[in-house]
Amino acid sequence: MLFNNLKIAWRTLVKNKFFSVLNILGLAIGMACFLLIALYVTDELSYDRFHKKADRIYRINSDILFGGNSMSLAVTSDMMGSTIKKDYPEVEEFTRVYNSNGSRLVKKGNDFLQELGVAYADSTFFDIFSYEPVAGDLHTALNEPNTVVISESAAMKYFSSLDVVGKNLETDDNNGTIYKVTAVIRDMPKRSHFRFDFIFSMDNLNYGFGDFLSHNFATFLLLKPGSSAASLEKKFPEYVNRYIFPMLQQTMQVKTIADLEKSGSKLEYSLMPLTDIHLHSARVAELGINSDIRYVYIFLAVAVFILLIACINFMNLSTARSANRAREVGIRKVLGTTYHTLIRQFLTESTLISFLSLLIAIVIAALVLPLFNDIAGKEISLANFFQPLFLVSMLALPFVIGLLAGTYPAFFLSSFKPITVLKGKLSGGAKKSNLRSTLVVLQFSMAIILIVGTIVVYRQLAYIQQKKLGFSKEQVMVINNTQVMGDGTRAFKNELLRLPGVKAVSSGGYLPVAGSSRNDNTFSKEAVMDMKNGFNMQVWGVDENYIPLLGMEIKQGRNFSKEFVSDSMAIIINETTADMLGYDDPVGKKIYKSQSNSQAEMLAYTIIGVVKNFHFESLKQKIGPLCMRLRNADWSIAVKMDATNVQNLVKQVEQKYAAHAAGFPFGYSFLDASFNNMYKAESKAGKLAFSFAVLAILIACLGLFGLAAYMAEQRNKEIGVRKVLGASVNQIMVLLSMDFLKLVAISACLAFPLSWIVMNKWLEDFAFRINIGWWVFLVAGLLAALIALVTVGFQALKAALNNPVKSIRTE
Amino acid sequence: MIKISNLEKIYRTEDVETVALNKLSFEVKDGEFVAVMGPSGCGKSTLLNILGLLDDPDSGSFLFNGIEVAGFNERKRADLRKRNIGFVFQSFNLIDELTVFENVELPLIYTGVKAAERKKIVEDVLDKMVIMHRRNHYPQQLSGGQQQRVAVARAVVNNPKLILADEPTGNLDSSNGNEVMQLLTDLNEQGTTIVMVTHSEHDARYSHRIIRMLDGQTVMQDLMV
Ligand SMILES: Nc1ncnc2c1ncn2[C@@H]1O[C@H](COP(=O)(O)OP(=O)(O)OP(=O)(O)O)[C@@H](O)[C@H]1O
Ligand SMILES: [Mg+2]
């Protein structure tokens, strides 16, 4: 029976090649998209799940609101982990990770190499997290100072061997520290929110431990089985009361917690499950770049969209073709076939089609996987197709799609009454169908939403590119690791200035792109700090060349100058700070900062200038208060170039660098590239939205093409009659296209408000953003109409050019 | 009105060549009612299609109102056709999706008559064909005779000088058939030239003259009295 069904289904496929190809191709492209997105989503959802105790591991998050500035941190104080463990028995263990902005120099032979995946961790690190040991005992590996656990890759890189336990590694911290390798682990899995190659003993970290107020450590808690994170979280205010508030009482003039909260300040801690971090955490001081759950949702929606569009094609083409198959159904019924048998026959057919589509989809997905990886920034391999769970779901797909797409046509076709059908009279349903129109409207609504989405994303990205940032990011080269030169930086800078093609040189420790150093501190407007006049602000060390080099504009007052000795206590503020202070003319006024150790003695800085606001974080953030001081920040050096041969200039700079920092790695970047890096996720999303919009439209067009061909065929005789009566080719074209254009118009009406809402939601993320102009919708609508017109037009023209004599032959 | 001489039409398919019209010549005067008869496949429909400017002859001359139209391009033929010629087919060829009124209105739309005027003309014609009460019905809801009356109404709505009818009674019973023949006779009496293809000697008797064809040629022309 099944075999017989299959045989007939196959023959039907072969007989209707045109429609079969359209159906299979559409479904295959849809399924390929679905497969890729499914791989992407499973990949995203699987982060950090490889840890055996993953469901019991939580990270402490800190939310600080102070002096009008709020900060959401992925780190907490060095004391919190141990204190919480001591006070609350539900905590089984804690570990702290300190990641000194990712970079450390490690010596190989006579040269230092820059290593990015480095961290300091407590010895409990390996008791909480599960890593596969290659050599050594992870449980005790970090128990002593001067120990390090390294990855397989690092072992091969530095020793060309995995058998390295007991060997020494020298790093640049504290002017050269020797570490003993105590264990080697397999490289940390890619699906991990942090990945390190070197984990140093926490004992070697040069840090003022014992400070409840400085937040610098990613702290993970392992809860005892069965204990609740939510109830532990509820006890955190207790911790604030007991340990932190007494210290605040000293520095700030507050008496009670209520006072603190009334003044708008807040200190809140919370727990985040380890497995949530990758998709739900975008805080300051993350251990790596996290993703965003919203993109997962968006892609899931897109996958479902595209699959639906493909299914709709199938339904539309099948029901449209039903007129041709009505006779077959009629004859079968007359011969005694039951309704159920017919339905089974049609479902076999749709499942066969989806199965063939799946085969092609797998091939397509495999072929475009590298491209997809590139756009999505993933390293998904073909092997992922063959994970058991994925394989099973993949094989289930044709049945689901077969049912989804095949059920309606099956019932529709099977319900034809044999007598009417055989008499040649077909109910109007076979020719015109509201359902079919509805489905086309659905397809085009989804396509239009994707078009609008693509346009908006690209417009926002373009806006970011051309937005006046308050500084010039072009032709600025940033040289890193210059701190190793010590006093040599001065000479190095002078030598750079003499190179042809170099226009200016300044210190570049603090730069207005994400990933550059940051330093914030508490200041007050008055000499005595209290809750009202205290505020947090970025303090950047710059030299007198910094502002002109970056093309920043002094709005009031003046830049730093070598001629003024007093400039050591001078300060330049940005407009945000000036507004906050509220002076008519801030130049000459003083602001105060407590000295690190004693809060009694305040340092007074004189404002000498106001720099026009510039964006020093991503455009997602507002421009916060910032000031600059004349201070040496020469661990990076900025070079303004005016060079046509950049490569050559870089080579010359490298030679100069080598002369001053022999054995150290020469690292450099360009400011505009670092800037663009901040919007990687968005540009990735833009590219993906674009690709999927194109595919969605392509699939929808395949369906439309088939439908138009079918409609033209159905209306062949009508067209003939109309031509006999004097209709011109144009009139026939309009007649045939109008029907479809109407549907596109309805789709537009549905899609516009929806896409407006969705895209505004997306834009809300940016403090600085475009308005979605009406023209975006106009363009999207016209584009959809144009595409529909071209698709339908071909069929319409073919029909309109037909000789009417042929179509109205009476025989 | 019509003068054809040495008209030839050959259908070529991959392996066979069918001579549908073989050096056919005859004339139809203004106001005449001519019946064309002959066995199946002798080329009657082919002839009618050429007379109706739907198709082009391969050779020969076709004077329509004194103008040589053989070799006219599609656009010119369509223009001439929609102003001068009405068609009635054996299978009615009404458009199922349009009402009676809309079907009859179509030729007027294509000749660019204004909507208000169209309404008047169409209602007039429907009145004349005694089908006015069915104006909002769809073709499927009508009997064969009624459908053919609608088709005739559509053929005459433009006031054509020539009506071409291809077996107009072929799908009708005798009483409905007679009704349609009566309509055509009335139109002819009002001055419309009619060329009708028929297999029925009975219907042919309504005409003034019968052209008998065999294998694409006229074999005889008998005058009726
Ligand atoms: N498009 C075509 N291609 C090939 N041959 C054709 C075509 N149309 C008609 N013929 C052939 O030309 C000849 C004349 O056909 P035509 O339709 O004019 O006959 P007819 O006299 O109208 O016949 P009937 O009385 O059955 O309607 C026939 O042999 C037919 O097979
Ligand atoms: Mg015929």
Side-chain angles (χ1 to χ4, degrees), chain A residues 431-432 717-718 721-727 731 803-805 808 810-811, chain B residues 49 54-55 74 81-82 87 89-91 93 95-98 106-107 110 154:
Chain A
K431 286 191 173 176
K432 262 197 178 158
K717 192 162 166 191
E718 178 196 339
V721 173
R722 282 176 186 272
K723 282 188 81 178
V724 168
L725 297 177
Q731 279 165 321
N803 186 349
V805 176
I808 59 162
T810 49
E811 292 80 21
Chain B
N49 287 339
L54 291 172
D55 217 349
E74 164 80 26
R81 180 171 71 227
K82 69 181 173 192
F87 290 90
F89 303 96
Q90 176 181 358
S91 56
N93 275 331
I95 295 174
D96 289 342
E97 287 77 15
L98 302 182
L106 269 184
Y110 292 136
R154 189 179 63 184

mmCIF file of all heavy atoms in Angstrom, chain A residues 431-432 717-718 721-727 731 803-805 808 810-811, chain B residues 49 54-55 74 81-82 87 89-91 93 95-98 106-107 110 154:
data_model
loop_
_atom_site.group_PDB
_atom_site.id
_atom_site.type_symbol
_atom_site.label_atom_id
_atom_site.label_comp_id
_atom_site.label_asym_id
_atom_site.label_seq_id
_atom_site.Cartn_x
_atom_site.Cartn_y
_atom_site.Cartn_z
ATOM 1 N N LYS A 431 -10.521 27.500 -8.716
ATOM 2 C CA LYS A 431 -9.922 28.546 -9.535
ATOM 3 C C LYS A 431 -9.483 29.728 -8.686
ATOM 4 O O LYS A 431 -8.364 30.185 -8.740
ATOM 5 C CB LYS A 431 -10.928 29.009 -10.582
ATOM 6 C CG LYS A 431 -11.122 28.003 -11.696
ATOM 7 C CD LYS A 431 -11.903 28.635 -12.813
ATOM 8 C CE LYS A 431 -11.963 27.692 -14.010
ATOM 9 N NZ LYS A 431 -12.791 28.238 -15.063
ATOM 10 N N LYS A 432 -10.441 30.212 -7.923
ATOM 11 C CA LYS A 432 -10.127 31.357 -7.069
ATOM 12 C C LYS A 432 -10.278 30.892 -5.648
ATOM 13 O O LYS A 432 -11.220 30.179 -5.331
ATOM 14 C CB LYS A 432 -11.126 32.475 -7.346
ATOM 15 C CG LYS A 432 -10.576 33.516 -8.291
ATOM 16 C CD LYS A 432 -11.394 34.769 -8.223
ATOM 17 C CE LYS A 432 -10.789 35.816 -9.147
ATOM 18 N NZ LYS A 432 -11.758 36.825 -9.535
ATOM 19 N N LYS A 717 -8.482 30.685 -21.592
ATOM 20 C CA LYS A 717 -9.632 30.861 -22.466
ATOM 21 C C LYS A 717 -10.205 32.268 -22.293
ATOM 22 O O LYS A 717 -10.514 32.944 -23.262
ATOM 23 C CB LYS A 717 -10.677 29.818 -22.117
ATOM 24 C CG LYS A 717 -11.762 29.733 -23.141
ATOM 25 C CD LYS A 717 -12.522 28.440 -23.025
ATOM 26 C CE LYS A 717 -13.798 28.548 -23.835
ATOM 27 N NZ LYS A 717 -14.705 27.445 -23.559
ATOM 28 N N GLU A 718 -10.303 32.678 -21.037
ATOM 29 C CA GLU A 718 -10.818 34.018 -20.758
ATOM 30 C C GLU A 718 -9.977 35.061 -21.477
ATOM 31 O O GLU A 718 -10.495 35.991 -22.088
ATOM 32 C CB GLU A 718 -10.787 34.268 -19.253
ATOM 33 C CG GLU A 718 -11.251 35.658 -18.872
ATOM 34 C CD GLU A 718 -10.874 36.032 -17.456
ATOM 35 O OE1 GLU A 718 -10.612 35.116 -16.653
ATOM 36 O OE2 GLU A 718 -10.820 37.236 -17.166
ATOM 37 N N VAL A 721 -10.804 35.073 -25.103
ATOM 38 C CA VAL A 721 -12.069 35.754 -25.375
ATOM 39 C C VAL A 721 -11.882 37.260 -25.301
ATOM 40 O O VAL A 721 -12.315 38.011 -26.174
ATOM 41 C CB VAL A 721 -13.141 35.301 -24.370
ATOM 42 C CG1 VAL A 721 -14.404 36.131 -24.534
ATOM 43 C CG2 VAL A 721 -13.432 33.829 -24.540
ATOM 44 N N ARG A 722 -11.191 37.692 -24.253
ATOM 45 C CA ARG A 722 -10.980 39.128 -24.100
ATOM 46 C C ARG A 722 -10.219 39.699 -25.292
ATOM 47 O O ARG A 722 -10.507 40.783 -25.768
ATOM 48 C CB ARG A 722 -10.201 39.415 -22.815
ATOM 49 C CG ARG A 722 -11.066 39.330 -21.567
ATOM 50 C CD ARG A 722 -10.231 39.529 -20.334
ATOM 51 N NE ARG A 722 -10.997 39.327 -19.107
ATOM 52 C CZ ARG A 722 -11.687 40.280 -18.483
ATOM 53 N NH1 ARG A 722 -11.698 41.507 -18.978
ATOM 54 N NH2 ARG A 722 -12.353 40.024 -17.387
ATOM 55 N N LYS A 723 -9.246 38.936 -25.772
ATOM 56 C CA LYS A 723 -8.482 39.444 -26.911
ATOM 57 C C LYS A 723 -9.348 39.508 -28.158
ATOM 58 O O LYS A 723 -9.271 40.454 -28.937
ATOM 59 C CB LYS A 723 -7.243 38.572 -27.153
ATOM 60 C CG LYS A 723 -6.135 38.895 -26.168
ATOM 61 C CD LYS A 723 -4.849 38.192 -26.505
ATOM 62 C CE LYS A 723 -4.100 38.922 -27.595
ATOM 63 N NZ LYS A 723 -2.819 38.275 -27.888
ATOM 64 N N VAL A 724 -10.200 38.498 -28.339
ATOM 65 C CA VAL A 724 -11.112 38.523 -29.473
ATOM 66 C C VAL A 724 -11.989 39.765 -29.409
ATOM 67 O O VAL A 724 -12.267 40.410 -30.403
ATOM 68 C CB VAL A 724 -11.986 37.246 -29.480
ATOM 69 C CG1 VAL A 724 -13.126 37.392 -30.470
ATOM 70 C CG2 VAL A 724 -11.137 36.043 -29.811
ATOM 71 N N LEU A 725 -12.364 40.123 -28.190
ATOM 72 C CA LEU A 725 -13.233 41.276 -28.015
ATOM 73 C C LEU A 725 -12.457 42.587 -28.065
ATOM 74 O O LEU A 725 -13.023 43.648 -27.869
ATOM 75 C CB LEU A 725 -13.984 41.181 -26.692
ATOM 76 C CG LEU A 725 -14.924 39.976 -26.579
ATOM 77 C CD1 LEU A 725 -15.574 39.933 -25.215
ATOM 78 C CD2 LEU A 725 -15.978 40.018 -27.669
ATOM 79 N N GLY A 726 -11.158 42.520 -28.274
ATOM 80 C CA GLY A 726 -10.414 43.747 -28.514
ATOM 81 C C GLY A 726 -9.448 44.176 -27.435
ATOM 82 O O GLY A 726 -8.904 45.269 -27.505
ATOM 83 N N ALA A 727 -9.223 43.322 -26.417
ATOM 84 C CA ALA A 727 -8.279 43.715 -25.367
ATOM 85 C C ALA A 727 -6.855 43.739 -25.916
ATOM 86 O O ALA A 727 -6.482 42.864 -26.698
ATOM 87 C CB ALA A 727 -8.364 42.751 -24.201
ATOM 88 N N GLN A 731 -3.560 45.582 -21.698
ATOM 89 C CA GLN A 731 -4.739 45.425 -20.847
ATOM 90 C C GLN A 731 -4.754 44.046 -20.198
ATOM 91 O O GLN A 731 -5.109 43.901 -19.038
ATOM 92 C CB GLN A 731 -6.004 45.648 -21.675
ATOM 93 C CG GLN A 731 -6.298 47.128 -21.860
ATOM 94 C CD GLN A 731 -7.312 47.383 -22.945
ATOM 95 O OE1 GLN A 731 -7.307 46.730 -23.997
ATOM 96 N NE2 GLN A 731 -8.193 48.340 -22.713
ATOM 97 N N ASN A 803 -1.801 33.414 -29.081
ATOM 98 C CA ASN A 803 -2.777 33.633 -30.127
ATOM 99 C C ASN A 803 -4.142 33.180 -29.619
ATOM 100 O O ASN A 803 -4.321 32.032 -29.246
ATOM 101 C CB ASN A 803 -2.380 32.824 -31.364
ATOM 102 C CG ASN A 803 -3.272 33.133 -32.532
ATOM 103 O OD1 ASN A 803 -4.299 33.779 -32.377
ATOM 104 N ND2 ASN A 803 -2.878 32.670 -33.702
ATOM 105 N N PRO A 804 -5.121 34.086 -29.601
ATOM 106 C CA PRO A 804 -6.427 33.737 -29.025
ATOM 107 C C PRO A 804 -7.100 32.598 -29.777
ATOM 108 O O PRO A 804 -7.897 31.874 -29.208
ATOM 109 C CB PRO A 804 -7.221 35.031 -29.135
ATOM 110 C CG PRO A 804 -6.546 35.826 -30.183
ATOM 111 C CD PRO A 804 -5.099 35.460 -30.118
ATOM 112 N N VAL A 805 -6.779 32.464 -31.066
ATOM 113 C CA VAL A 805 -7.438 31.421 -31.861
ATOM 114 C C VAL A 805 -7.233 30.066 -31.197
ATOM 115 O O VAL A 805 -8.105 29.214 -31.156
ATOM 116 C CB VAL A 805 -6.867 31.404 -33.291
ATOM 117 C CG1 VAL A 805 -7.481 30.273 -34.086
ATOM 118 C CG2 VAL A 805 -7.130 32.731 -33.959
ATOM 119 N N ILE A 808 -9.384 29.642 -27.783
ATOM 120 C CA ILE A 808 -10.849 29.594 -27.804
ATOM 121 C C ILE A 808 -11.379 28.533 -28.765
ATOM 122 O O ILE A 808 -12.570 28.483 -29.032
ATOM 123 C CB ILE A 808 -11.462 30.957 -28.185
ATOM 124 C CG1 ILE A 808 -10.965 31.398 -29.552
ATOM 125 C CG2 ILE A 808 -11.194 31.998 -27.133
ATOM 126 C CD1 ILE A 808 -11.832 32.464 -30.156
ATOM 127 N N THR A 810 -13.091 25.667 -30.169
ATOM 128 C CA THR A 810 -14.268 25.103 -29.510
ATOM 129 C C THR A 810 -14.143 23.610 -29.254
ATOM 130 O O THR A 810 -14.784 23.079 -28.372
ATOM 131 C CB THR A 810 -15.513 25.369 -30.360
ATOM 132 O OG1 THR A 810 -15.226 24.990 -31.695
ATOM 133 C CG2 THR A 810 -15.868 26.822 -30.295
ATOM 134 N N GLU A 811 -13.309 22.946 -30.027
ATOM 135 C CA GLU A 811 -13.249 21.491 -29.912
ATOM 136 C C GLU A 811 -12.781 21.094 -28.518
ATOM 137 O O GLU A 811 -11.852 21.670 -28.004
ATOM 138 C CB GLU A 811 -12.288 20.900 -30.957
ATOM 139 C CG GLU A 811 -12.758 21.034 -32.374
ATOM 140 C CD GLU A 811 -12.524 22.400 -32.973
ATOM 141 O OE1 GLU A 811 -11.661 23.141 -32.473
ATOM 142 O OE2 GLU A 811 -13.210 22.764 -33.901
ATOM 143 N N ASN B 49 -11.982 32.486 -38.728
ATOM 144 C CA ASN B 49 -10.927 33.162 -37.954
ATOM 145 C C ASN B 49 -10.210 34.200 -38.796
ATOM 146 O O ASN B 49 -9.850 35.268 -38.310
ATOM 147 C CB ASN B 49 -9.912 32.153 -37.430
ATOM 148 C CG ASN B 49 -10.483 31.339 -36.284
ATOM 149 O OD1 ASN B 49 -11.446 31.753 -35.644
ATOM 150 N ND2 ASN B 49 -9.913 30.183 -36.042
ATOM 151 N N LEU B 54 -8.720 37.314 -36.704
ATOM 152 C CA LEU B 54 -8.032 36.687 -35.582
ATOM 153 C C LEU B 54 -6.766 36.019 -36.078
ATOM 154 O O LEU B 54 -5.835 35.786 -35.325
ATOM 155 C CB LEU B 54 -8.927 35.635 -34.925
ATOM 156 C CG LEU B 54 -10.147 36.157 -34.179
ATOM 157 C CD1 LEU B 54 -11.038 34.997 -33.758
ATOM 158 C CD2 LEU B 54 -9.729 36.970 -32.973
ATOM 159 N N ASP B 55 -6.760 35.674 -37.331
ATOM 160 C CA ASP B 55 -5.635 34.935 -37.891
ATOM 161 C C ASP B 55 -5.278 35.539 -39.236
ATOM 162 O O ASP B 55 -6.068 36.248 -39.840
ATOM 163 C CB ASP B 55 -6.041 33.460 -38.037
ATOM 164 C CG ASP B 55 -4.867 32.550 -37.719
ATOM 165 O OD1 ASP B 55 -3.737 33.061 -37.608
ATOM 166 O OD2 ASP B 55 -5.102 31.336 -37.582
ATOM 167 N N GLU B 74 -0.775 42.431 -35.808
ATOM 168 C CA GLU B 74 -1.711 42.083 -34.736
ATOM 169 C C GLU B 74 -2.464 43.314 -34.216
ATOM 170 O O GLU B 74 -3.670 43.304 -34.053
ATOM 171 C CB GLU B 74 -0.910 41.399 -33.618
ATOM 172 C CG GLU B 74 -1.606 41.309 -32.275
ATOM 173 C CD GLU B 74 -2.621 40.173 -32.201
ATOM 174 O OE1 GLU B 74 -2.447 39.193 -32.940
ATOM 175 O OE2 GLU B 74 -3.576 40.293 -31.422
ATOM 176 N N ARG B 81 -10.828 44.973 -35.745
ATOM 177 C CA ARG B 81 -11.732 43.945 -35.262
ATOM 178 C C ARG B 81 -12.679 44.494 -34.201
ATOM 179 O O ARG B 81 -13.885 44.306 -34.270
ATOM 180 C CB ARG B 81 -10.904 42.806 -34.690
ATOM 181 C CG ARG B 81 -11.727 41.648 -34.144
ATOM 182 C CD ARG B 81 -10.827 40.493 -33.815
ATOM 183 N NE ARG B 81 -10.004 40.762 -32.637
ATOM 184 C CZ ARG B 81 -8.710 40.544 -32.565
ATOM 185 N NH1 ARG B 81 -8.051 40.074 -33.606
ATOM 186 N NH2 ARG B 81 -8.049 40.820 -31.463
ATOM 187 N N LYS B 82 -12.116 45.198 -33.247
ATOM 188 C CA LYS B 82 -12.972 45.561 -32.121
ATOM 189 C C LYS B 82 -14.023 46.605 -32.493
ATOM 190 O O LYS B 82 -15.023 46.733 -31.806
ATOM 191 C CB LYS B 82 -12.134 45.974 -30.914
ATOM 192 C CG LYS B 82 -11.374 47.256 -31.013
ATOM 193 C CD LYS B 82 -10.602 47.461 -29.712
ATOM 194 C CE LYS B 82 -9.674 48.650 -29.830
ATOM 195 N NZ LYS B 82 -8.727 48.707 -28.726
ATOM 196 N N PHE B 87 -18.450 38.478 -32.597
ATOM 197 C CA PHE B 87 -18.321 37.018 -32.713
ATOM 198 C C PHE B 87 -19.375 36.291 -31.890
ATOM 199 O O PHE B 87 -19.678 36.681 -30.763
ATOM 200 C CB PHE B 87 -16.953 36.560 -32.191
ATOM 201 C CG PHE B 87 -15.818 36.968 -33.071
ATOM 202 C CD1 PHE B 87 -15.176 38.172 -32.892
ATOM 203 C CD2 PHE B 87 -15.380 36.105 -34.082
ATOM 204 C CE1 PHE B 87 -14.128 38.540 -33.697
ATOM 205 C CE2 PHE B 87 -14.331 36.470 -34.889
ATOM 206 C CZ PHE B 87 -13.689 37.694 -34.704
ATOM 207 N N PHE B 89 -19.865 32.212 -30.729
ATOM 208 C CA PHE B 89 -19.234 30.893 -30.829
ATOM 209 C C PHE B 89 -20.205 29.792 -30.455
ATOM 210 O O PHE B 89 -21.177 30.009 -29.729
ATOM 211 C CB PHE B 89 -18.028 30.805 -29.890
ATOM 212 C CG PHE B 89 -16.996 31.858 -30.136
ATOM 213 C CD1 PHE B 89 -16.987 33.027 -29.395
ATOM 214 C CD2 PHE B 89 -16.040 31.674 -31.122
ATOM 215 C CE1 PHE B 89 -16.026 33.993 -29.612
ATOM 216 C CE2 PHE B 89 -15.083 32.634 -31.342
ATOM 217 C CZ PHE B 89 -15.070 33.806 -30.593
ATOM 218 N N GLN B 90 -19.857 28.587 -30.914
ATOM 219 C CA GLN B 90 -20.671 27.423 -30.563
ATOM 220 C C GLN B 90 -20.712 27.238 -29.044
ATOM 221 O O GLN B 90 -21.746 26.978 -28.462
ATOM 222 C CB GLN B 90 -20.052 26.182 -31.216
ATOM 223 C CG GLN B 90 -20.754 24.903 -30.835
ATOM 224 C CD GLN B 90 -20.096 23.701 -31.484
ATOM 225 O OE1 GLN B 90 -19.135 23.834 -32.238
ATOM 226 N NE2 GLN B 90 -20.631 22.528 -31.203
ATOM 227 N N SER B 91 -19.542 27.413 -28.398
ATOM 228 C CA SER B 91 -19.493 27.173 -26.949
ATOM 229 C C SER B 91 -19.593 28.474 -26.166
ATOM 230 O O SER B 91 -19.079 28.588 -25.075
ATOM 231 C CB SER B 91 -18.214 26.442 -26.594
ATOM 232 O OG SER B 91 -17.120 27.196 -27.067
ATOM 233 N N ASN B 93 -18.367 30.907 -25.073
ATOM 234 C CA ASN B 93 -17.172 31.646 -24.630
ATOM 235 C C ASN B 93 -17.476 32.865 -23.792
ATOM 236 O O ASN B 93 -16.913 33.933 -23.982
ATOM 237 C CB ASN B 93 -16.319 32.056 -25.837
ATOM 238 C CG ASN B 93 -15.396 30.930 -26.245
ATOM 239 O OD1 ASN B 93 -14.995 30.123 -25.400
ATOM 240 N ND2 ASN B 93 -15.088 30.851 -27.521
ATOM 241 N N ILE B 95 -17.245 34.685 -20.091
ATOM 242 C CA ILE B 95 -16.268 34.597 -19.011
ATOM 243 C C ILE B 95 -16.992 34.285 -17.709
ATOM 244 O O ILE B 95 -17.880 35.027 -17.286
ATOM 245 C CB ILE B 95 -15.457 35.902 -18.910
ATOM 246 C CG1 ILE B 95 -14.634 36.052 -20.191
ATOM 247 C CG2 ILE B 95 -14.550 35.877 -17.683
ATOM 248 C CD1 ILE B 95 -13.888 37.337 -20.309
ATOM 249 N N ASP B 96 -16.624 33.153 -17.117
ATOM 250 C CA ASP B 96 -17.364 32.629 -15.962
ATOM 251 C C ASP B 96 -17.349 33.576 -14.774
ATOM 252 O O ASP B 96 -18.267 33.588 -13.972
ATOM 253 C CB ASP B 96 -16.760 31.289 -15.510
ATOM 254 C CG ASP B 96 -17.077 30.205 -16.523
ATOM 255 O OD1 ASP B 96 -18.008 30.413 -17.338
ATOM 256 O OD2 ASP B 96 -16.401 29.168 -16.507
ATOM 257 N N GLU B 97 -16.271 34.330 -14.641
ATOM 258 C CA GLU B 97 -16.117 35.161 -13.449
ATOM 259 C C GLU B 97 -16.874 36.484 -13.558
ATOM 260 O O GLU B 97 -16.921 37.243 -12.600
ATOM 261 C CB GLU B 97 -14.635 35.459 -13.184
ATOM 262 C CG GLU B 97 -13.836 34.290 -12.646
ATOM 263 C CD GLU B 97 -13.477 33.273 -13.714
ATOM 264 O OE1 GLU B 97 -13.599 33.624 -14.924
ATOM 265 O OE2 GLU B 97 -13.121 32.140 -13.370
ATOM 266 N N LEU B 98 -17.408 36.748 -14.730
ATOM 267 C CA LEU B 98 -18.114 38.023 -14.916
ATOM 268 C C LEU B 98 -19.618 37.775 -15.041
ATOM 269 O O LEU B 98 -20.044 36.724 -15.525
ATOM 270 C CB LEU B 98 -17.602 38.724 -16.177
ATOM 271 C CG LEU B 98 -16.108 39.040 -16.229
ATOM 272 C CD1 LEU B 98 -15.766 39.766 -17.520
ATOM 273 C CD2 LEU B 98 -15.686 39.858 -15.019
ATOM 274 N N LEU B 106 -17.883 44.162 -21.866
ATOM 275 C CA LEU B 106 -16.445 44.088 -22.184
ATOM 276 C C LEU B 106 -16.025 44.783 -23.482
ATOM 277 O O LEU B 106 -15.085 45.583 -23.475
ATOM 278 C CB LEU B 106 -15.993 42.623 -22.231
ATOM 279 C CG LEU B 106 -15.474 42.020 -20.937
ATOM 280 C CD1 LEU B 106 -14.987 40.611 -21.207
ATOM 281 C CD2 LEU B 106 -14.331 42.858 -20.377
ATOM 282 N N PRO B 107 -16.690 44.473 -24.631
ATOM 283 C CA PRO B 107 -16.224 45.093 -25.890
ATOM 284 C C PRO B 107 -16.245 46.613 -25.819
ATOM 285 O O PRO B 107 -15.379 47.277 -26.392
ATOM 286 C CB PRO B 107 -17.229 44.582 -26.926
ATOM 287 C CG PRO B 107 -17.802 43.354 -26.333
ATOM 288 C CD PRO B 107 -17.807 43.556 -24.850
ATOM 289 N N TYR B 110 -13.200 47.888 -24.099
ATOM 290 C CA TYR B 110 -12.004 47.826 -24.938
ATOM 291 C C TYR B 110 -12.027 48.826 -26.077
ATOM 292 O O TYR B 110 -10.993 49.142 -26.645
ATOM 293 C CB TYR B 110 -11.805 46.397 -25.459
ATOM 294 C CG TYR B 110 -11.444 45.439 -24.334
ATOM 295 C CD1 TYR B 110 -12.033 44.189 -24.225
ATOM 296 C CD2 TYR B 110 -10.517 45.828 -23.368
ATOM 297 C CE1 TYR B 110 -11.720 43.335 -23.195
ATOM 298 C CE2 TYR B 110 -10.200 44.974 -22.330
ATOM 299 C CZ TYR B 110 -10.790 43.735 -22.234
ATOM 300 O OH TYR B 110 -10.480 42.910 -21.211
ATOM 301 N N ARG B 154 -23.422 40.308 -26.587
ATOM 302 C CA ARG B 154 -22.057 40.803 -26.515
ATOM 303 C C ARG B 154 -21.494 41.073 -27.918
ATOM 304 O O ARG B 154 -20.750 42.034 -28.131
ATOM 305 C CB ARG B 154 -21.175 39.783 -25.792
ATOM 306 C CG ARG B 154 -19.795 40.297 -25.483
ATOM 307 C CD ARG B 154 -18.972 39.279 -24.767
ATOM 308 N NE ARG B 154 -18.750 38.103 -25.597
ATOM 309 C CZ ARG B 154 -18.110 37.009 -25.182
ATOM 310 N NH1 ARG B 154 -17.658 36.941 -23.951
ATOM 311 N NH2 ARG B 154 -17.954 35.983 -25.991
#
